[in-house]
Amino acid sequence: MKLLLGFAACLLVVNCATISLEDLEFHAWKLKFGKSYSSPSEEAQRKDVWLRNRKLVLVHNMLADQGIKSYRLGMNFFGDLRPACLVDWRDKGYVTPVKDQKQCGSCWAFSATGSLEGQTFRKIGKLVSLSEQQLVDCSGDYGNMGCNGGLMDQAFEYIEANGGIDTEDAYPYEAEDGKCRYDPSKIGATCTGFFYESGVYNEPECSSSDLDHGVLAVGYGSDGNGDSGWLRTAGERAGETRDTS
């Protein structure tokens, strides 16, 4: 009996020794984001992509620790995807029809609701249009200024603290500042946090201080002329809302 127990203990030690830190991290990442694959071969392919992305993140964050990079990366839901795998989320049902912000500087609100609409669809399988007007009217205490501008992060902070945001039908868009009319019985979505690691993304070709527009990235693709880029949508005039950039 003692011999059998000793043999079993040896097998357990051998099995633990064959499980790498990367294996454990990949398993934890799958659990965190609810990832599952159709076959062992697909999982092996996705894990290989995940490992390459993880290496990229680790190297980048080492540079950030040394002050060479101004922002940090994190392994989020897309960690097992290659750039070529980043699909157009409109085709997957994640994006509501084009909206029009009109003569109101509320692009930040449209960007925030668009992002939350997509995440809500991923969670419950139902696409619900959310109220930009509520953000315009009600999130001033979080630093937003209605039709005079605001930030998406501050919109998410408001929604999280408020306990939710109404649907578009319950609180329709008016393109002007108004009195807050939030109705907790008409909530279309809630927010418990948002993806962000730390730091400020630094794009050499863009100004870090002259900011005047917020957009929603809905996919990655080509414009048909061989130029690839992020597909974006925002609360501009309907004919100008989606293009590649």
Side-chain angles (χ1 to χ4, degrees), residues 132-165:
E132 294 80 23
Q133 191 64 45
Q134 180 181 336
L135 295 178
V136 169
D137 293 343
C138 307
S139 65
D141 289 345
Y142 291 80
N144 295 321
M145 298 178 287
C147 284
N148 290 316
L151 293 174
M152 289 73 81
D153 287 4
Q154 294 168 175
F156 293 137
E157 289 171 1
Y158 159 74
I159 297 170
E160 183 175 2
N162 188 60
I165 181 172

Side-chain angles (χ1 to χ4, degrees), residues 7-243:
F7 181 68
C10 288
L11 285 178
L12 180 61
V13 171
V14 171
N15 287 334
C16 289
T18 61
I19 300 176
S20 67
L21 177 61
E22 289 82 2
D23 291 331
L24 293 173
E25 287 187 16
F26 182 62
H27 182 68
W29 176 85
K30 287 193 302 176
L31 290 176
K32 180 178 180 180
F33 294 106
K35 288 281 187 172
S36 62
Y37 304 102
S38 60
S39 67
S41 61
E42 182 191 1
E43 176 157 343
Q45 293 174 354
R46 291 298 176 203
K47 181 180 178 182
D48 183 63
V49 174
W50 183 89
L51 286 169
R52 280 182 274 142
N53 287 335
R54 175 181 174 274
K55 181 178 180 180
L56 183 150
V57 168
L58 290 174
V59 171
H60 176 94
N61 288 343
M62 287 174 62
L63 297 175
D65 290 339
Q66 298 173 36
I68 298 173
K69 296 291 185 178
S70 61
Y71 61 99
R72 297 178 62 82
L73 299 178
M75 290 298 291
N76 61 20
F77 179 80
F78 305 106
D80 61 347
L81 298 180
R82 299 185 301 272
C85 296
L86 295 176
V87 298
D88 186 339
W89 293 108
R90 294 172 297 179
D91 297 335
K92 301 295 183 179
Y94 281 67
V95 186
T96 55
V98 173
K99 301 180 182 183
D100 185 356
Q101 77 181 64
K102 301 181 181 178
Q103 300 301 315
C104 170
S106 57
C107 59
W108 57 275
F110 283 83
S111 178
T113 57
S115 178
L116 189 55
E117 287 164 356
Q119 290 299 314
T120 302
F121 176 81
R122 184 171 74 86
K123 182 177 181 180
I124 67 174
K126 182 179 179 181
L127 186 62
V128 179
S129 185
L130 301 174
S131 175
E132 294 80 23
Q133 191 64 45
Q134 180 181 336
L135 295 178
V136 169
D137 293 343
C138 307
S139 65
D141 289 345
Y142 291 80
N144 295 321
M145 298 178 287
C147 284
N148 290 316
L151 293 174
M152 289 73 81
D153 287 4
Q154 294 168 175
F156 293 137
E157 289 171 1
Y158 159 74
I159 297 170
E160 183 175 2
N162 188 60
I165 181 172
D166 286 349
T167 65
E168 191 88 60
D169 289 340
Y171 201 148
Y173 187 64
E174 298 171 346
E176 62 182 11
D177 296 329
K179 183 179 179 180
C180 182
R181 304 182 300 280
Y182 162 67
D183 184 345
S185 69
K186 304 293 178 61
I187 287 177
T190 59
C191 177
T192 58
F194 47 97
F195 284 129
Y196 180 68
E197 189 66 13
S198 64
V200 178
Y201 178 73
N202 180 22
E203 170 52 54
E205 300 300 319
C206 295
S207 169
S208 60
S209 57
D210 186 15
L211 307 176
D212 62 359
H213 197 44
V215 299
L216 173 71
V218 299
Y220 187 89
S222 172
D223 62 1
N225 297 317
D227 295 323
S228 296
W230 292 104
L231 302 172
R232 62 178 180 155
T233 178
E236 300 175 290
R237 295 189 182 278
E240 302 173 348
T241 53
R242 292 191 176 111
D243 65 354

